[in-house]
Amino acid sequence: MYTPPAFRDEDRASILATVRAARLAHFVTATSGGPLVTPLPLFLAEHEGEHGTIYGHLAKANPQWRVPPLAEGLAVFSGPDAYVTPSWYATKAETGKVVPTWNYVAVHAHGPVEFFEDADRLLDAVTRLTRLHEDALPSPWAVGDAPADFIASQLRGIVGLRMPVTRWEGKRKMSQNRNETDRAGVRAGLAVSGRAGDREAAPLVPA
């Protein structure tokens, strides 16, 4: 990921917060036939390995797991993002030398890829993933709520994914390259936007 120094995020807490908040990631492998990409809900076992280990699952019919990767896998997690209009910059009135841009947060995780079909490991992975998303709901559903034979049949239709993270790349592009007055204009503009994602990005623009 191209990351100029001003936008580089090397803070582990910040990186993990982005990963935890991401509802959906993109899992990428490089193959002899080109890159393969699958949107997946993934979860991070933070204390497994030096940098944590990512888990998820793919449909068994998905060819991605059958094609040997040529290098490490990549999981892409996205945070808040927002279009930034030059109209929010004080510099626009001063010089006119401004152009639009896009603010965003992104985290890339790299690591060797393992696919597995063991039923016990699959059950553990889907149970942990389900808890991650269900526990905050008013009436959480649990894997054990469904008949065991039904769950067993569902597990036969998926393949597990395990990727020990060897390195993280974090990028937080939030107008750090603009002056203080321009950043204030961006924060104010995003804060009153009708788009929820813009309002989420507003407080990430530094003062």
Side-chain angles (χ1 to χ4, degrees), residues 14 18 79-82 103-106 171-176 183 186-187 190 197-207:
S14 172
T18 298
D81 70 275
N103 279 357
Y104 59 90
V105 174
K171 185 173 184 179
R172 184 173 290 249
K173 181 183 179 295
M174 286 291 164
S175 299
Q176 298 98 314
R183 294 197 304 272
V186 173
R187 282 197 308 277
L190 292 175
D198 291 354
R199 298 193 300 274
E200 187 179 359
L204 299 182
V205 178

Side-chain angles (χ1 to χ4, degrees), residues 58-141:
L58 298 81
K60 189 168 285 188
N62 186 333
Q64 186 173 11
W65 73 279
R66 297 183 182 276
V67 183
L70 300 177
E72 289 188 328
L74 169 67
V76 180
F77 301 88
S78 297
D81 70 275
Y83 173 77
V84 176
T85 171
S87 299
W88 291 336
Y89 296 151
T91 303
K92 176 180 180 293
E94 296 167 1
T95 69
K97 297 179 180 179
V98 291
V99 294
T101 191
W102 209 283
N103 279 357
Y104 59 90
V105 174
V107 169
H108 288 186
H110 302 258
V113 176
E114 174 197 354
F115 297 108
F116 58 90
E117 299 180 76
D118 179 78
D120 289 338
R121 293 179 68 191
L122 282 172
L123 179 60
D124 177 67
V126 299
T127 299
R128 293 164 74 181
L129 183 62
T130 300
R131 286 174 180 163
L132 176 66
H133 294 287
E134 287 281 343
D135 281 355
L137 299 178
S139 300
W141 178 87

